[in-house]
Amino acid sequence: MERKYWVSAVVVVTGAALAASFLWAPQPPLPSGPAPTPLGWRAQVSLLGGDGIAGNTQGTPTQTRFSDPWGVAVSGGVLFVADAGDNNRIVYRALDGVFHVLAGGREGFADGVGLAAEFNTPSGIALDAAGNLYVADTGNHAIRKITPQGQVTTLAGNGQAGFADGMGATAQFNGPMGVTVGSDGRVYVADTWNDRIRVIETDGRVWTLAGGDRPDWLDGRGAEARFDTPTDVALDGQGNLWVADLQNNALRVINADGMVSTRMGGGDAQRVLWGPMTLALTHDGVVYVGERLSGRVVQVSPTGHVVAVAGSDAERFARPAGLALAADGSLLLADADAHRVHHLQQLPAGTVPQLAELGPSADNPLSRNEGRWPLAPQNGWHEVTGTLGEVRGNFSGESRHHLHSGFDVRGDVGQTVLAVAAGKVSSPASTWTLGGQAEGFSLDKLDYIHMKVGRDASNRPLDAARFQLVRDEAGQLDRVRVRRGTRFQPGDALGSINNQAHVHLAVGPSGYERNAVRLGFNNYADHVAPKIDDIALLDESDQRLRDTQDGRLVVSREGGGLQLVVEAWDQVDNNLPRRRLGLYALGYQILDANGKPLPGYEQPRMNLIFNRMPPQREAVKVAYAADSGITVHGSSSTRFRYVLTNTVRDGQLATGLLQPSELQPGQYTLRITAKDYSGNEAVVGRELRVWVR
């Protein structure tokens, strides 16, 4: 059945141009020559496939689930997607709007027709004029070709990581991720972990166009140039090859003479691109870039202006991995960490985009850790030192710098950090901050932070086959690399705890972190009710109301809106008495003089729920009042002063005030609901009696 659909799709791809497409509405005939690309437009994002839950199904867009959708290509209205992760397949969406499997479906390295073929972490894909599809088969260190007849063959590479020019299988790549095809049939490859750009001639000969033997940023000709983790390539109409130089935060260009220049970013220049990972070029010199760090898709004009087409702090893509330009100028985007494929269409000027469904679903399954901890004994007990949503400061005296994004487990400096679940590395930059206090490693849905990645306490490699220690020209350790597609099993060593003396576990991509306590840990228990130390009302100057009468706080109806601030904290079983943890959920009710909730307050207004991390940096000052955090040098206790009239929950952010003018004069009680994740609720000191006058 799948084979039949593929043949039908190929006929469409290689046939005459279509008057309409399933991706966009029919348009009148275009005038001769392409229209200029509009600049500075804003996209309406719509869904083409996937529901945000990782899976392996195909059918209608809502029935289709992806594991790790990466490269995308489109021709004649047919959309192709490389789906890596556990699926290792190439799928296509035909004119009927239904997704079908084109080839693959098992992890391995085998040529063959359709489902008989095997891939290992396919990434970038590209079509040639004859309808052949080329695949950067990252985990197999090879470039594969799928003909219009559905035959999968290996164009170059032999399944072994390395660096060698030569014919076909004698050539070697190291985790290639990007691929494009010229009008002359040449195939260009972003050889990611060799930090080189390679060319495959039509006779199968592989040679190196540019790049050297270690990552760096350097312009020049051929081997004089240096790249740092190039992930995508694209050709423009003048024969220039554009390169998404990920770790240099740069766009590089290689001209027909092999000269490499930096078009934007790189080095010590002020950063304007945030992890460029995928490219799409227009006919008139406009470049679209998917950014790994910001979650945006940006448009770069020929004069260097950068404008976000889609994505923002509040509504970001989880990992924009693949971009393709459609015939009408709209964009197709694979959001790998969200398990979705989107369509980005231009909105009329002045139109506000409708809210799009972005990021992974809240119902996406968690990693199957089966109760394991990231330290030995994995089935034992370990002290918890931090939870999602806690206030955190920095080393410059700011006590409300950011929200804590994970779950902290105390350990000894130098202790080995262990994988809690099986996982496959999906990021092309899975490690960061070598030697820094926040050094970490991303494995599938989990990030492990505060460790020497891939090294023991003496900086010796733990597993040289999976952790590549890269050294600079002076022989000093420069970074640790782990290739996309590398697999780990529960209990595998990932690194050793650094001087922070704990492991930080984060669940989910940046901006979409979920509460890691949901993983469940063996012998973890929390029977301790949260404690409320203080309830306060603050005026518009953040000054506390202090006037009382008959044991009640006096509140003026004419005094303007007020913030409701509650200082509270939690503990879990067996933690040290001094160890204060943040709460999971807080809310409040307003009761009348008889103790009956006012209309609209029958149930507590649970404005603060730390179930998912809000992506905005200012969220910490929305959730927490001043004097939160560790505000006294040398203090070991954190103050959690929550602003219950503001909203931080479900990844959303909003400010609000209690309006006394909306209440009739009289006596009221503010009743606080303060819960931890285990459902324990504060019962002492939870009420503030007020007199509204």
Side-chain angles (χ1 to χ4, degrees):
M1 181 65 71
E2 298 296 345
R3 166 73 173 158
K4 179 186 72 173
Y5 282 125
W6 164 229
V7 172
S8 299
V10 170
V11 170
V12 173
V13 171
T14 59
L18 297 172
S21 163
F22 71 94
L23 291 176
W24 38 82
Q27 300 292 325
L30 294 173
S32 59
T37 301
L39 300 178
W41 58 277
R42 186 69 181 171
Q44 176 59 55
V45 180
S46 57
L47 195 64
L48 289 178
D51 61 357
I53 297 176
N56 185 355
T57 59
Q58 59 279 334
T60 65
T62 56
Q63 294 170 335
T64 301
R65 286 183 173 173
F66 303 100
S67 178
D68 182 16
W70 203 271
V72 289
V74 63
S75 180
V78 178
L79 171 68
F80 299 88
V81 182
D83 185 18
D86 290 330
N87 291 350
N88 299 291
R89 62 183 184 171
I90 310 299
V91 299
Y92 67 94
R93 177 172 159 162
L95 296 180
D96 58 4
V98 175
F99 283 92
H100 310 277
V101 176
L102 164 59
R106 294 187 303 274
E107 187 165 296
F109 189 22
D111 292 339
V113 177
L115 302 182
E118 296 176 353
F119 299 91
N120 185 345
T121 320
S123 298
I125 58 176
L127 286 159
D128 68 13
N132 298 301
L133 187 71
Y134 297 84
V135 181
D137 194 2
T138 305
N140 282 323
H141 315 289
I143 305 302
R144 316 290 292 282
K145 177 181 178 180
I146 309 175
T147 69
Q149 291 74 38
Q151 177 70 47
V152 178
T153 58
T154 300
L155 185 66
N158 57 17
Q160 300 298 315
F163 171 67
D165 290 336
M167 293 296 295
T170 65
Q172 286 187 314
F173 301 89
N174 191 349
M177 286 191 56
V179 63
T180 192
V181 189
S183 58
D184 58 0
R186 281 180 170 177
V187 177
Y188 298 83
V189 179
D191 192 3
T192 304
W193 283 279
N194 274 326
D195 302 292
R196 292 174 166 99
I197 307 302
R198 315 286 292 282
V199 180
I200 307 174
E201 297 286 353
T202 55
D203 63 0
R205 180 174 64 93
V206 178
W207 58 282
T208 301
L209 175 62
D213 59 358
R214 63 176 58 89
D216 204 342
W217 175 64
L218 186 66
D219 290 340
R221 191 180 306 277
E224 297 174 352
R226 292 290 184 272
F227 299 92
D228 192 340
T229 322
T231 52
D232 202 6
V233 286
L235 282 163
D236 66 18
Q238 289 71 49
N240 300 306
L241 186 71
W242 290 69
V243 182
D245 196 2
L246 177 69
Q247 293 289 66
N248 279 323
N249 298 299
L251 288 180
R252 315 288 292 282
V253 176
I254 310 175
N255 69 16
D257 295 327
M259 178 61 71
V260 178
S261 60
T262 299
R263 191 59 55 93
M264 177 172 288
D268 297 326
Q270 182 177 0
R271 184 181 295 188
V272 290
L273 296 175
W274 295 83
M277 194 161 68
T278 181
L279 306 168
L281 304 182
T282 71
H283 66 92
D284 51 357
V286 174
V287 185
Y288 293 103
V289 181
E291 296 182 320
R292 184 182 72 92
L293 296 176
S294 72
R296 303 183 303 172
V297 173
V298 301
Q299 182 192 64
V300 181
S301 74
T303 57
H305 290 92
V306 179
V307 177
V309 170
S312 65
D313 281 347
E315 296 179 28
R316 58 181 291 161
F317 298 107
R319 183 183 290 157
L323 273 177
L325 186 69
D328 66 347
S330 63
L331 295 169
L332 294 314
L333 170 70
D335 191 1
D337 274 357
H339 319 292
R340 302 180 193 266
V341 178
H342 294 287
H343 189 198
L344 279 56
Q345 295 173 284
Q346 181 183 350
L347 282 171
T351 305
V352 177
Q354 296 179 359
L355 186 65
E357 191 172 6
L358 302 180
S361 168
D363 297 323
N364 196 39
L366 297 169
S367 300
R368 297 180 60 182
N369 67 311
E370 298 178 350
R372 300 181 192 90
W373 295 80
L375 301 172
Q378 288 197 283
N379 292 320
W381 174 87
H382 299 272
E383 186 177 8
V384 176
T385 60
T387 60
L388 186 91
E390 292 184 0
V391 60
R392 287 289 189 270
N394 61 14
F395 296 111
S396 300
E398 171 57 72
S399 64
R400 292 185 298 163
H401 181 261
H402 63 277
L403 291 176
H404 189 247
S405 64
F407 183 81
D408 288 348
V409 181
R410 197 203 70 80
D412 296 328
V413 174
Q415 187 173 356
T416 302
V417 179
L418 306 173
V420 302
K424 184 178 183 180
V425 174
S426 56
S427 173
S430 60
T431 68
W432 55 87
T433 323
L434 180 81
Q437 60 93 10
E439 183 178 352
F441 171 51
S442 181
L443 175 58
D444 200 8
K445 300 181 181 70
L446 295 174
D447 288 354
Y448 300 77
I449 305 175
H450 302 311
M451 64 177 184
K452 295 182 176 182
V453 176
R455 318 184 305 284
D456 65 13
S458 300
N459 281 325
R460 293 172 299 201
L462 292 172
D463 181 351
R466 290 187 285 193
F467 295 97
Q468 178 189 6
L469 274 58
V470 179
R471 300 187 182 277
D472 61 20
E473 293 183 357
Q476 298 299 310
L477 185 62
D478 179 67
R479 72 186 63 186
V480 177
R481 277 178 161 173
V482 187
R483 299 183 189 94
R484 169 169 156 80
T486 304
R487 285 195 177 274
F488 289 82
Q489 297 302 318
D492 284 353
L494 304 179
S496 57
I497 295 179
N498 65 16
N499 60 9
Q500 296 300 297
H502 68 270
V503 182
H504 173 106
L505 274 180
V507 178
S510 178
Y512 293 97
E513 294 96 338
R514 296 157 70 186
N515 201 314
V517 74
R518 294 183 57 191
L519 289 170
F521 298 93
N522 290 315
N523 299 309
Y524 169 87
D526 181 1
H527 298 95
V528 183
K531 297 176 178 59
I532 295 177
D533 286 342
D534 183 52
I535 305 173
L537 291 174
L538 307 185
D539 63 19
E540 59 185 8
S541 301
D542 288 339
Q543 297 301 306
R544 181 176 186 143
L545 303 188
R546 295 189 179 277
D547 291 342
T548 62
Q549 181 176 341
D550 298 334
R552 291 181 177 271
L553 184 69
V554 176
V555 177
S556 170
R557 297 180 72 244
E558 309 300 327
L562 302 172
Q563 295 181 77
L564 174 59
V565 176
V566 175
E567 183 167 353
W569 51 281
D570 190 33
Q571 290 184 310
V572 298
D573 293 9
N574 300 317
N575 265 16
L576 295 174
R578 66 175 176 80
R579 186 76 67 193
R580 292 189 174 189
L581 302 175
L583 274 65
Y584 176 69
L586 298 101
Y588 70 100
Q589 293 172 285
I590 303 179
L591 314 180
D592 64 17
N594 298 315
K596 181 180 178 181
L598 298 186
Y601 291 91
E602 292 83 1
Q603 299 296 323
R605 293 190 177 183
M606 305 301 293
N607 289 341
L608 302 181
I609 301 180
F610 295 105
N611 55 352
R612 207 195 85 185
M613 179 62 58
Q616 302 94 327
R617 174 68 71 172
E618 66 269 21
V620 64
K621 293 183 179 179
V622 175
Y624 291 94
D627 296 330
S628 294
I630 298 177
T631 57
V632 179
H633 181 71
S635 172
S636 60
S637 295
T638 303
R639 296 184 68 190
F640 301 101
R641 302 186 68 238
Y642 299 96
V643 184
L644 271 61
T645 39
N646 291 341
T647 299
V648 179
R649 57 174 293 175
D650 305 317
Q652 302 300 312
L653 201 67
T655 58
L657 295 170
L658 183 67
Q659 299 293 346
S661 61
E662 297 176 356
L663 300 174
Q664 295 298 318
Q667 296 179 350
Y668 298 90
T669 298
L670 302 180
R671 177 176 292 170
I672 308 304
T673 297
K675 297 180 179 180
D676 59 30
Y677 185 81
S678 298
N680 302 302
E681 188 171 335
V683 294
V684 177
R686 63 181 300 201
E687 294 185 346
L688 175 66
R689 299 192 303 161
V690 300
W691 199 327
V692 177
R693 305 176 65 176

